[in-house]
């Protein structure tokens, strides 16, 4: 019975989340057309709403740890669910994301992402995609802010291992900026698919920054070590039980 009630609450929350997205998009649209600041304020308002409503509607609180950057840096984050996008964005003054190009064609999300200065990339075209990403990032540098990239390239469920892509290291080298790693356990409470949202406290943790100037291979190794170890600790804190392979 408790599961059924939480599932119903989650369903109502999910519906309201998209209703409010549409309402805020309409309200802020004239401002967003005039200035990217309008899009930024709309998205910050939406992120604040999601965090607030999740806390009382489904019992899912969110916590930001560490020191969110306010200067121009590269943020290399662990990505487990839509929730970690919301929490990261709400914690930084001007977030811009490296995102899948197909999302630009979303009716609301695409237009606001474009106004924020997000950088679309084509998946599956490694060399060409990285070069195009670098060109687009360079074009967008007139809009200062924090550029967020998901180093594994996609959402990865808790406990699943997936390699870190070289694009993050190339971007780190080309930008010449510090990198702020980010760990999370959001996927424990807000899975990639399905309606159900688990109550608890989802954490996004901004880790100590990695200074600019490292060799890109060493950087990528250090980034993976820091993010994965911190994310594993957050999973343990959330009571996540890892599946173990049976031995013969």
């Amino acid at each position: 019975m408790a599961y059924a009630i939480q599932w119903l609450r989650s369903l109502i929350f999910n519906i309201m989340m998209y209703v409010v997205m549409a309402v805020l998009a309409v309200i802020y649209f004239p401002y967003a057309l005039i200035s990217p600041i309008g899009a930024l304020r709309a998205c910050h308002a939406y992120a604040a709403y999601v965090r607030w409503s999740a806390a009382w509607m489904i019992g899912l609180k969110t916590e930001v740890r560490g020191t969110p950057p306010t200067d121009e840096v590269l943020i290399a984050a662990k990505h487990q669910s839509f929730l970690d996008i919301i929490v990261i964005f709400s914690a930084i003054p001007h977030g811009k994301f490296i995102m899948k190009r197909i999302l630009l064609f979303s009716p609301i999300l695409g237009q606001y992402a474009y106004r924020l200065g997000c950088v679309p990339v084509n998946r599956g075209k490694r060399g060409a995609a990285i070069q195009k990403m670098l060109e687009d990032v360079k074009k967008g540098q007139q809009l200062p802010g924090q550029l967020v990239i998901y180093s594994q390239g996609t959402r990865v469920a808790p406990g699943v291992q997936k390699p870190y892509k070289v694009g993050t290291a190339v971007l780190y080298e080309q930008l010449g900026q510090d990198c702020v790693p980010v760990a999370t356990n959001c996927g424990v409470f807000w899975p990639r698919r399905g309606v159900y949202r688990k109550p608890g406290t989802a954490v996004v943790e901004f880790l100590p920054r990695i200074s600019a100037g490292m060799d890109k291979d060493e950087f990528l190794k250090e980034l993976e070590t820091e993010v994965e170890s911190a994310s594993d600790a957050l999973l343990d804190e959330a009571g996540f039980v890892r599946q173990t392979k049976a031995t013969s």
Side-chain angles (χ1 to χ4, degrees):
M1 179 61 72
Y3 179 88
I5 293 173
Q6 183 65 18
W7 188 93
L8 182 59
R9 293 172 67 189
S10 299
L11 177 62
I12 296 170
F13 167 76
N14 292 340
I15 292 171
M16 289 302 301
M17 187 176 68
Y18 290 106
V19 168
V20 171
M21 177 189 287
V23 171
L24 288 176
V26 171
I27 291 173
Y28 279 92
F29 190 65
Y31 189 8
L33 281 178
I34 296 171
S35 170
I37 299 300
L40 182 66
R41 290 184 178 176
C43 293
H44 272 144
Y46 180 68
Y49 166 78
V50 172
R51 293 183 65 183
W52 170 77
S53 62
W56 68 268
M57 289 185 72
I58 55 176
L60 177 53
K61 298 178 181 179
T62 52
E63 179 182 345
V64 175
R65 296 181 185 172
T67 304
T70 57
D71 55 333
E72 290 190 67
V73 295
L74 177 66
I75 295 176
K78 183 78 172 176
H79 186 23
Q80 294 179 345
S81 79
F82 181 60
L83 182 59
D84 56 65
I85 298 176
I86 291 292
V87 179
I88 290 172
F89 186 82
S90 71
I92 54 181
H94 195 153
K96 302 181 290 183
F97 290 80
I98 304 292
M99 55 183 282
K100 293 183 292 186
R101 181 170 295 275
I102 193 171
L103 293 177
L104 280 182
F105 301 100
S106 301
I108 296 174
L109 182 62
Q111 291 301 312
Y112 275 86
Y114 176 77
R115 297 297 291 163
L116 286 175
C118 294
V119 179
V121 295
N122 286 319
R123 296 176 66 179
K125 299 180 180 180
R126 180 174 171 179
I130 290 175
Q131 184 58 41
K132 183 66 166 59
M133 176 184 70
L134 293 174
E135 292 172 358
D136 289 344
V137 166
K138 187 175 181 180
K139 291 176 183 176
Q141 284 185 315
Q142 69 270 20
L143 294 174
Q146 300 76 45
L147 182 62
V148 184
I149 186 169
Y150 291 109
S151 303
Q152 292 169 296
T154 188
R155 286 174 293 182
V156 179
V160 175
Q161 295 183 346
K162 190 174 180 65
Y164 279 49
K165 294 182 178 293
V166 71
T168 302
V170 173
L171 195 56
Y172 162 81
E173 182 180 59
Q174 292 294 317
L175 287 175
Q177 297 176 349
D178 291 353
C179 175
V180 177
V182 177
T184 189
N185 62 6
C186 285
V188 173
F189 307 94
W190 187 313
R192 180 175 180 176
R193 295 185 177 88
V195 171
Y196 185 81
R197 304 287 180 257
K198 181 181 176 181
T201 301
V203 179
V204 162
E205 182 175 4
F206 290 85
L207 305 173
R209 64 176 61 200
I210 301 173
S211 298
M214 286 183 64
D215 173 79
K216 66 176 184 293
D217 293 329
E218 293 179 2
F219 159 76
L220 196 61
K221 183 177 181 180
E222 179 174 339
L223 174 68
E224 181 172 357
T225 299
E226 294 298 321
V227 173
E228 291 302 306
S229 60
S231 294
D232 285 345
L234 291 176
L235 292 181
D236 292 339
E237 181 181 317
F240 178 74
V241 179
R242 295 173 179 79
Q243 294 183 348
T244 57
K245 295 182 180 180
T247 56
S248 57

